[in-house]
Amino acid sequence: ADAADALDGLPASSPEAHFLASSTTALLAALALALAVSLAVGLWLASRTVRPLRRLTEAARGLASGDLGRTVPVDHADEVGALARAFNAMSERLAEATALRRQMTADVSHDLRTPVTTVLGTLELIESGTLEATPERIRAAREQAERLARLVESFHTLALADAGALPVHPARVAPADALR
């Protein structure tokens, strides 16, 4: 307290008072510069962290609206980079699964169309009198209907398996019986 009291009593034109004023000014300027640099570095770090998260958010919104297979660049080796890699893998798998589902739908449609067309065509021709209802034609139509029933049952089994609802009953089977 004695040193502070001694400085307060200095004349304004003394070298000590001038040194004290210039030191205070330099200290305030250094403090302002340090605050500005800290603020700039903080904003840079925040934008460096937030930018990839914004890209991920935008990509997730695109994925939700049907833009499958969308990926984001992976710029970091940290947790944000790991999240981006996981998102990219998920997006690619989702696009592949959707493509497979579309192909399966096309295949199912084709596989069902043939027996239905055959049965309906045969029955319409018999009904119109163009074809005679012979036992062979009725048997052929029945065989196509049975094929259709097997296809529908197979697709039902696939749907149960896909949903994880297919009951499994393991049993011992002789290899010869399995081959037969």
Side-chain angles (χ1 to χ4, degrees), residues 18 27 43 62-63 75-76 83 90 143 156 161 174:
H18 180 63
L27 185 60
L43 287 173
L63 193 66
D75 302 339
H76 302 280
L83 178 62
M90 176 192 67
E143 287 171 358
H156 177 69

Side-chain angles (χ1 to χ4, degrees), residues 31-125:
L31 182 63
L33 180 63
L35 183 62
V37 168
S38 297
L39 186 60
V41 168
L43 287 173
W44 176 76
L45 284 174
S47 72
R48 191 173 189 300
T49 301
V50 170
R51 188 177 313 120
L53 293 175
R54 283 188 180 145
R55 280 187 273 182
L56 272 169
T57 301
E58 182 183 320
R61 286 186 180 132
L63 193 66
S65 67
D67 185 8
L68 304 178
R70 186 170 184 174
T71 59
V72 293
V74 179
D75 302 339
H76 302 280
D78 58 1
E79 290 81 8
V80 174
L83 178 62
R85 283 187 295 280
F87 176 86
N88 289 343
M90 176 192 67
S91 179
E92 289 170 8
R93 280 192 222 112
L94 188 58
E96 290 169 4
T98 300
L100 286 173
R101 186 172 38 255
R102 285 183 181 144
Q103 183 61 46
M104 188 178 110
T105 301
D107 292 345
V108 166
S109 174
H110 175 75
D111 287 346
L112 292 176
R113 188 177 302 125
T114 302
V116 167
T117 302
T118 302
V119 170
L120 287 176
T122 301
L123 292 175
E124 286 174 7
L125 290 172

